[in-house]
Amino acid sequence: MAEWTPQELAELERANETQVAGRRVDGSSRTLTIVWQVVVDGILYLRSARGVDGQWYRGVARNYEGFLQWGRNEPRPVTFTLDDSRDAAIDAAYTAKYGRGPATDAITSAISNATTMRVDPR
């Protein structure tokens, strides 16, 4: 499995938003969608604020491969893995990064926690 470089993780941790998309059967990218991300213990995590009904989440969950883009970088091929092993730490990271409010409440809800995904480069 490929790993993020320390520089990439630092950029991803600083980035306010990233864009994510699932991979189509032909290998091309679905439409990129803006999401919030956090880095916990050197691992990149995403969640769907709309839970399993989120459109980008449904596209990613078809084969758990897709693309991630941040800053001025080209979209990177990535693998998504469901991972609820650090939900409390991820909740805390979302709150620390984005503050308290309705959007953070949504991304740290039980509905969103069901979609916690680890993101690794391919």
Side-chain angles (χ1 to χ4, degrees):
M1 176 186 314
E3 294 184 10
W4 299 109
T5 67
Q7 179 182 343
E8 289 170 329
L9 282 174
E11 290 173 4
L12 287 160
E13 196 161 23
R14 281 190 310 268
N16 196 41
E17 301 171 331
T18 58
Q19 294 183 59
V20 64
R23 178 185 59 81
R24 291 187 176 105
V25 174
D26 68 3
S28 65
S29 177
R30 295 182 178 282
T31 302
L32 289 164
T33 301
I34 294 172
V35 297
W36 285 359
Q37 77 291 336
V38 292
V39 176
V40 174
D41 297 328
I43 300 170
L44 177 64
Y45 291 97
L46 300 177
R47 288 181 175 160
S48 169
R50 293 192 172 110
V52 296
D53 294 328
Q55 185 174 358
W56 75 262
Y57 179 82
R58 288 193 320 257
V60 163
R62 287 192 177 124
N63 58 26
Y64 293 96
E65 289 186 352
F67 301 89
L68 182 83
Q69 183 176 20
W70 71 98
R72 295 181 179 184
N73 297 307
E74 291 294 316
R76 287 279 303 273
V78 294
T79 300
F80 302 94
T81 305
L82 288 173
D83 182 357
D84 63 0
S85 66
R86 293 185 175 104
D87 275 343
I90 294 166
D91 286 348
Y94 271 115
T95 301
K97 184 172 184 174
Y98 297 104
R100 298 201 178 272
T104 305
D105 290 346
I107 204 73
T108 58
S109 71
I111 290 170
S112 291
N113 285 6
T115 67
T116 303
M117 285 194 259
R118 174 185 177 136
V119 185
D120 295 295
R122 282 192 277 139

